[in-house]
């Protein structure tokens, strides 16, 4: 009987550890987008975002926030990529929300991250909410 209880406890603990590992977050410091993706994002950003948020991510419009320096840190630090993706997709470009395809929104996010000093990696970031929800923005 004790052996069964011990085995049941061991299986329960193992399952709990596995569940925690599956829920564990990744960090943007690990390189969650590719350099090519950030380059594509830069092209899209310059064409669709720079008119308000500035070519250098410093706002040219008093209503638009900067996307770099302390404004970036305050708005993005410790948020998930899913949260930023959903917000940007739902509100940008101003007056034309959801006018870009989801991959373009993610590419723009990759560019913003790279511009702010986060490293590129070897895997392309995709607009999969389940994946984006597990990636936390960690700013160097």
């Amino acid at each position: 009987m004790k052996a069964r209880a011990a085995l049941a406890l061991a299986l329960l603990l193992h399952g709990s550890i596995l569940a925690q590992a599956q829920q564990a977050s990744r960090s943007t410091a690990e390189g969650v987008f590719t350099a090519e993706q950030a380059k594509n994002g830069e092209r899209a950003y310059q064409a669709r975002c720079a008119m308000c948020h500035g070519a250098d991510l410093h706002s040219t419009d008093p209503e638009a926030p900067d996307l770099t320096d302390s404004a970036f840190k305050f708005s993005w630090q410790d948020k998930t990529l899913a949260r930023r993706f959903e917000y940007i997709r739902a509100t940008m470009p101003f007056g034309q929300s959801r006018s870009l395809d989801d991959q373009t929104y993610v590419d723009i996010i990759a560019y913003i991250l790279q511009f702010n000093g986060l490293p590129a990696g070897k895997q392309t970031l995709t607009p999969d909410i389940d994946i984006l929800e597990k990636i936390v923005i960690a700013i160097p």
Side-chain angles (χ1 to χ4, degrees):
M1 193 65 152
K2 284 186 179 181
R4 281 189 186 170
L7 179 60
L9 181 59
L11 289 173
L12 180 64
L13 288 174
H14 179 70
S16 176
I17 291 168
L18 269 176
Q20 286 178 337
Q22 289 173 344
Q23 292 175 358
S25 296
R26 292 177 58 200
S27 164
T28 53
E30 298 171 28
V32 298
F33 58 87
T34 66
E36 184 64 31
Q37 181 173 24
K39 188 179 284 189
N40 292 340
E42 180 180 12
R43 283 190 290 274
Y45 176 89
Q46 295 301 332
R48 302 300 301 263
C49 311
M51 63 202 86
C52 296
H53 292 282
D56 62 355
L57 281 69
H58 287 97
S59 177
T60 58
D61 180 330
E63 300 293 319
D66 287 348
L67 297 173
T68 192
D69 300 329
S70 60
F72 171 77
K73 289 178 183 176
F74 178 77
S75 296
W76 292 57
Q77 177 76 27
D78 297 326
K79 308 280 190 311
T80 65
L81 285 182
R83 184 171 175 187
R84 297 311 311 170
F85 169 76
E86 291 285 12
Y87 176 78
I88 292 167
R89 183 173 64 167
T91 61
M92 296 291 127
F94 182 73
Q96 299 174 335
S97 62
R98 298 184 186 268
S99 62
L100 307 175
D101 65 85
D102 287 353
Q103 188 61 53
T104 300
Y105 282 111
V106 171
D107 291 351
I108 290 170
I109 290 170
Y111 168 63
I112 294 168
L113 294 172
Q114 186 178 59
F115 187 95
N116 283 285
L118 291 155
K122 295 180 181 181
Q123 187 173 354
T124 301
L125 192 60
T126 62
D128 180 320
I129 294 297
D130 292 334
I131 292 170
L132 296 176
E133 189 63 44
K134 293 176 183 171
I135 304 172
V136 176
I137 301 166
I139 300 169

